[in-house]
Amino acid sequence: MVSGYSVTDLNGAHETKNVISGTYNKKEKNFSFKEEDIIYTKSTFNKNSFCFVNYSGKVKLVNNSSKIEGDFKGLFKDKTKCIDGTVLLVGTDKIYKLVDKVNSKIQKSKK
């Protein structure tokens, strides 16, 4: 079992934090989760217009970095379809290494 939260539009005008829950099947490396409810939002939109992510797919673990990529189904609170799309999540180690690499290049630049 997995539980936690997701954040959308971080530091933006519509920043929203949602409760998520799901499961991870270690044998099949399958991860599924769904956003269930809004914890808070800065948005002025009606809460019934929020589209919640429902995802199921494989998890790739390679050399201490993780990656989740696949299609998701978007559902309104009443379970009617709102939008489908693609989700791409990468582990924070990979992001921090990329940021450090870019920062290092910027520091070495003469511009």
Side-chain angles (χ1 to χ4, degrees):
M1 298 298 292
V2 178
S3 63
Y5 63 90
S6 63
V7 178
T8 304
D9 194 28
L10 184 62
N11 293 321
H14 301 283
E15 179 178 280
T16 303
K17 186 175 183 179
N18 294 313
V19 174
I20 62 169
S21 68
T23 59
Y24 177 65
N25 182 320
K26 188 174 181 178
K27 183 178 178 183
E28 296 178 15
K29 295 185 180 176
N30 190 52
F31 178 51
S32 63
F33 70 89
K34 62 182 177 176
E35 294 178 313
E36 296 180 325
D37 202 8
I38 298 171
I39 297 170
Y40 80 85
T41 185
K42 292 180 184 177
S43 181
T44 58
F45 288 114
N46 182 316
K47 289 187 179 184
N48 291 329
S49 67
F50 281 79
C51 186
F52 294 96
V53 172
N54 292 263
Y55 172 82
S56 183
K58 297 284 184 185
V59 174
K60 295 179 183 178
L61 300 172
V62 181
N63 298 331
N64 251 358
S65 72
S66 54
K67 180 179 177 182
I68 298 171
E69 183 175 12
D71 296 331
F72 72 87
K73 303 262 184 242
L75 301 173
F76 290 115
K77 187 85 171 162
D78 68 1
K79 305 298 181 205
T80 57
K81 186 177 176 179
C82 47
I83 192 168
D84 295 340
T86 302
V87 65
L88 173 60
L89 304 171
V90 293
T92 55
D93 286 348
K94 191 171 187 175
I95 297 295
Y96 284 125
K97 286 179 185 176
L98 181 61
V99 168
D100 286 343
K101 185 176 180 179
V102 169
N103 188 42
S104 176
K105 285 185 179 184
I106 290 170
Q107 297 305 317
K108 291 177 184 176
S109 173
K110 294 182 181 184
K111 293 184 179 181

